[in-house]
Amino acid sequence: MNIIDFRFRPNTEDTLSGIANSKMFKGLCSSIDFSKMLPQTVEEVVQELDKYNVVKAVVTGRDCETTYGSKSNNKSVIEFVSKFPNKFIGFAGLDPHKGMCAIEELKTSVTEHGLKGAAIDPYLAQIYANDAKYYPIYSKCCELNIPLVIATGPGTLVPNAVIDHVAPRYIDFVARDFPELKIIISHGGYPWVNEMIMIAQRNANVYLELSEYEFFPQSEAYIQAANTIISDKVLYASAHPFVDFKVALKNYEKLPFKPEVLEKVMYKNAAKVLNLPEVATPTAVNTVDSIQIQSIIESVLKELAQKGTLASR
C-alpha cells in the first residue's frame, strides 16, 4: 500500500538539535526520551521512506519568533523540497504576529520556492485560531488555493502554552468563515475527541490527522468515526521525529480500521487534499536526482572502459 505521511520532518542532525534545544519542546523531549532518535542524512531518510512505501511526506515549517524567540525554519523546509521534490511537500510555517511580513513570506514560499501549503501553531502563538491576526493568512491561503495545517493537541510541557487556544470549537469559526480553505487539524484536536469528530463531519473543508494520540484515552472514537461518518476526512501522519515513522506504521497495523477505510486514511484522503492522483505511480528512481543519475552513468562507463568493453565495440 502506498502511503502519504501528513506530518513529517527529516531527522537530520540540525533538525534534532533544533527541536531538543528549543524553548518550546525541551520538557517534552525529556519526557519522551527524544535523544533515542538518531540523526540521518536526508538521503538516508528518503531511502527509508522508499523502503516503507511512503511515497510523499508533508514537511511543515514553524515560526514562533514573537512568542518564543524561535525563528522561522522555512528555509530548511525549502531545502528539503528542493533536494527531493518528488518525496517532500513543504508547508510554510507562519507567525501571525508578524502581520503582512508573514503574508509576504507565504506568497514567496509558494510562488518562488514551490511550497504547497501553510502551517500555524495557535498554542505557540498564544492566541485562538479564530483570532483576527490569523485571518489575513487564511485569506491568502484561499487566494493561493493552498491547504492549511493547524497544529493542536495538549502542548505537553510547553511553557506558557494554553490548551484552550487549540480547542476545535474555535477552528469551527474559521471553517465557517473560509469554506474554500482546506483545513487539516494535526494531532486530532486531542483531548476534544468528540468535538473534533463532529467539526470534521459538519464542515466539508475540515480534515484531521491523529498523530501521537491514536492510543490515548477515548481515541477509539476516532477509529469508530473513521469507519462510519468521516471515512473521507482522516489522514495518516506519524509526527516523525517525535514518533519514529516506522513505529507509527506498525501502530496503524494494529488499529481496527475497515480495509477500505485504511486505504483512504493511508493515501487517498491526503491525495485528495493535495490534489494528487488517487493512485500513486511509483518510480524506481523517484528519489534520485539528475546529478546522481549522471554520476551513476559516468561510473558505469568508466568501469566498462576499464574492462575494455567499450573498446571492443
Side-chain angles (χ1 to χ4, degrees):
M1 180 190 302
N2 288 316
I3 297 161
I4 297 174
D5 189 333
F6 224 95
R7 193 171 188 86
F8 185 97
R9 192 163 182 83
N11 49 300
T12 62
E13 187 170 353
D14 286 345
T15 295
L16 297 183
S17 175
I19 292 172
N21 294 312
S22 70
K23 291 181 181 178
M24 304 89 71
F25 301 123
K26 268 189 176 181
L28 174 61
C29 288
S30 178
S31 71
I32 63 173
D33 192 15
F34 188 67
S35 61
K36 67 185 177 185
M37 174 60 69
L38 300 178
Q40 294 179 295
T41 65
V42 185
E43 289 77 10
E44 289 170 337
V45 172
V46 170
Q47 287 174 4
E48 284 206 328
L49 289 172
D50 284 343
K51 180 180 177 181
Y52 287 88
N53 296 323
V54 179
V55 295
K56 301 286 183 183
V58 173
V59 182
T60 54
R62 173 171 279 135
D63 185 351
C64 42
E65 185 174 11
T66 302
T67 48
Y68 289 93
S70 181
K71 294 184 179 181
S72 166
N73 62 4
N74 290 330
K75 183 178 179 181
S76 66
V77 175
I78 291 167
E79 289 173 354
F80 292 142
V81 171
S82 177
K83 197 163 190 178
F84 289 101
N86 293 325
K87 181 64 67 180
F88 297 126
I89 298 172
F91 281 38
L94 302 168
D95 181 343
H97 301 291
K98 292 184 177 180
M100 291 308 297
C101 290
I103 302 304
E104 186 59 32
E105 180 170 11
L106 176 59
K107 177 184 175 183
T108 302
S109 296
V110 172
T111 60
E112 296 183 18
H113 299 297
L115 301 195
K116 303 296 184 183
I120 60 171
D121 300 80
Y123 73 101
L124 295 179
Q126 299 174 8
I127 58 176
Y128 289 97
N130 65 336
D131 190 286
K133 287 186 176 181
Y134 274 126
Y135 273 55
I137 292 174
Y138 302 150
S139 296
K140 196 64 181 181
C141 287
C142 291
E143 180 184 329
L144 295 169
N145 193 28
I146 57 173
L148 170 80
V149 167
I150 301 180
T152 65
T156 303
L157 300 177
V158 176
N160 301 319
V162 176
I163 190 172
D164 196 55
H165 283 151
V166 291
R169 66 183 71 98
Y170 302 109
I171 299 172
D172 190 45
F173 287 96
V174 179
R176 177 202 63 188
D177 292 342
F178 297 91
E180 306 89 352
L181 176 61
K182 291 179 182 176
I183 300 170
I184 303 91
I185 301 178
S186 276
H187 309 310
Y190 195 85
W192 294 277
V193 177
N194 289 326
E195 184 175 295
M196 180 66 260
I197 289 168
M198 294 316 302
I199 287 170
Q201 190 271 338
R202 71 182 297 271
N203 292 290
N205 57 329
V206 175
Y207 301 79
L208 68 150
E209 51 91 343
L210 314 177
S211 62
E212 299 188 71
Y213 299 98
E214 297 93 340
F215 297 96
F216 270 52
Q218 303 180 15
S219 62
E220 61 274 6
Y222 291 130
I223 313 306
Q224 182 183 5
N227 284 333
T228 53
I229 60 173
I230 55 169
S231 63
D232 295 329
K233 295 300 195 74
V234 180
L235 317 176
Y236 165 73
S238 66
H240 186 94
F242 286 101
V243 177
D244 190 314
F245 84 91
K246 298 182 289 296
V247 173
L249 288 173
K250 284 287 185 182
N251 285 338
Y252 270 71
E253 293 176 4
K254 303 172 187 175
L255 294 171
F257 289 111
K258 294 177 181 178
E260 65 273 17
V261 172
L262 182 62
E263 190 174 355
K264 288 183 177 182
V265 170
M266 302 306 286
Y267 181 86
K268 288 185 177 181
N269 291 344
K272 179 181 176 183
V273 171
L274 296 167
N275 294 318
L276 298 175
E278 188 171 304
V279 179
T281 304
T283 170
V285 292
N286 65 341
T287 62
V288 181
D289 61 26
S290 58
I291 296 176
Q292 289 173 299
I293 292 173
Q294 183 63 33
S295 177
I296 292 170
I297 292 172
E298 291 176 356
S299 177
V300 170
L301 290 175
K302 184 177 180 180
E303 183 176 347
L304 291 173
Q306 289 175 343
K307 292 181 178 179
T309 305
L310 293 180
S312 63
R313 289 188 175 184

